[in-house]
Amino acid sequence: TAGQKAGVSCDPDVTSRKVQKDWRFMLLCSDGIWEFINSQEAVEIVGKFAPSEAQKAAESLASEAWNRWIQEEGNVVDDITVIVTHFDED
């Protein structure tokens, strides 16, 4: 199929991690985020926001990714999806 030729797969990449006590949040993002933003930059962008501002944090990261796509590729932007989930401090 066309999707297979483009590298699309229905088989997910799955990684398991044990949540560490010092972890504040987790980011689940599509590859459109990671093309021009590394994980440290993403943490710095999202880390500026309080847990109650998770939507703003996600929008800020998505906006930065969008801007970098436009800067690097012109009018071409990959899918940009961001989910921010905060861990309890307990």
Side-chain angles (χ1 to χ4, degrees):
T1 67
Q4 288 173 326
K5 290 178 184 176
V8 176
S9 169
C10 62
D11 299 320
D13 290 331
V14 178
T15 303
S16 177
R17 301 271 191 255
K18 183 175 179 176
V19 176
Q20 304 297 310
K21 290 183 180 186
D22 63 339
W23 290 3
R24 293 177 41 215
F25 54 84
M26 177 175 59
L27 299 174
L28 300 173
C29 305
S30 65
D31 63 334
I33 294 293
W34 306 122
E35 186 71 26
F36 300 111
I37 296 177
N38 65 44
S39 57
Q40 184 60 45
E41 289 177 294
V43 167
E44 290 170 3
I45 292 167
V46 171
K48 295 176 186 177
F49 295 88
S52 62
E53 299 176 308
Q55 181 69 37
K56 286 183 184 179
E59 290 171 357
S60 181
L61 182 55
S63 177
E64 182 62 28
W66 177 275
N67 291 339
R68 292 190 190 187
W69 269 97
I70 296 299
Q71 180 181 350
E72 295 291 328
E73 301 292 335
N75 288 330
V76 176
V77 178
D78 197 359
D79 65 306
I80 295 175
T81 303
V82 179
I83 298 172
V84 178
T85 184
H86 285 269
F87 297 116
D88 290 334
E89 294 184 24
D90 297 341

